[in-house]
Amino acid sequence: MDLSTLLLFVPACFALNLFPGPNNLVALANGQKQGFMVAWLAGLGRLLAFVVMIALAALGLAVILQTSELVFLGLKLVGAGYLFWIALQMWRTPAAAAESLAETPNRGVLALAQQEFLLAAGNPKAILIFTAFFPQFIDPGEGVGAQFAALGMVFLLLEWLVIAGYAACGHVLGNWLQQPRRRQWFNRGCASALAVAGVGLLASDRRG
């Protein structure tokens, strides 16, 4: 995978990771209630769910790309549209506070990890990331499995860093992040990053 591909993938991926969706709000709440280390380790449940999704998506994608590059082109266009759609949703997300999540009772790491796993596994947006977003950065002329694995490792590493960030923020700055106005700034910052990445992908001359 070349450097130009990673320069497009990493910021767009990181913006997706940063978006304050259900799992990140849970990490925020757990950090505030249980402490940084417990919330961070509980995030392993989320990563496990993502590993399963990435593996399943990679197997299906390999078959698709070996069958038709036209399908790959369609996936790339759908993925670019998905980036813009998510950016719009982020921009328009209500800046509601997360007090309800902050009321999580004290529980152990395993119970919280199970909560993270189930929440991630039941999130259809996560499946779309791996089936519509990842293919844009895959060169069908090279080893699909190896490329998907590399993107998956980068995604999981960034997700692990984001979990740490939300857990730390919940522990130290939970009240600051839960203020609606500041949540709105955060959402719109992520939306802008995704929109810029979408434009860059459409303007690129990569295959498809």
Side-chain angles (χ1 to χ4, degrees):
M1 186 171 298
D2 57 48
L3 181 60
S4 61
T5 299
L6 285 177
L7 289 177
L8 284 173
F9 178 76
V10 170
C13 183
F14 197 51
L16 286 171
N17 295 126
L18 280 172
F19 181 62
N23 276 102
N24 282 335
L25 291 180
V26 164
L28 183 73
N30 288 339
Q32 187 175 30
K33 188 80 173 179
Q34 322 287 353
F36 168 76
M37 188 56 67
V38 171
W40 193 30
L41 292 176
L44 288 171
R46 183 195 317 185
L47 297 185
L48 178 59
F50 288 160
V51 166
V52 174
M53 290 182 187
I54 290 170
L56 292 176
L59 291 174
L61 180 63
V63 173
I64 289 174
L65 293 185
Q66 289 167 5
T67 304
S68 172
E69 289 192 22
L70 183 61
V71 174
F72 172 77
L73 172 61
L75 282 175
K76 179 178 179 180
L77 294 176
V78 168
Y82 172 66
L83 272 182
F84 291 119
W85 181 79
I86 288 294
L88 179 62
Q89 296 304 307
M90 288 183 179
W91 188 273
R92 299 173 60 184
T93 295
E99 285 85 358
S100 60
L101 287 172
E103 310 216 349
T104 307
N106 286 315
R107 290 189 288 174
V109 173
L110 289 179
L112 294 175
Q114 181 182 40
Q115 177 191 52
E116 287 260 18
F117 177 89
L118 293 175
L119 194 59
N123 185 358
K125 290 183 180 179
I127 299 173
L128 282 176
I129 289 174
F130 304 128
T131 57
F133 176 63
F134 273 32
Q136 300 172 74
F137 304 92
I138 300 290
D139 182 351
E142 301 295 335
V144 173
Q147 292 179 79
F148 216 100
L151 293 177
M153 289 176 63
V154 173
F155 176 90
L156 292 173
L157 175 59
L158 293 175
E159 186 73 14
W160 189 228
L161 293 175
V162 167
I163 293 170
Y166 269 92
C169 286
H171 184 58
V172 178
L173 299 173
N175 292 331
W176 190 93
L177 280 180
Q178 289 183 44
Q179 292 183 23
R181 187 68 174 176
R182 290 163 182 169
R183 289 271 306 284
Q184 185 178 57
W185 293 342
F186 188 76
N187 291 350
R188 292 186 173 180
C190 290
S192 298
L194 279 181
V196 169
V199 171
L201 286 169
L202 289 178
S204 69
D205 60 357
R206 294 186 70 251
R207 180 183 299 237

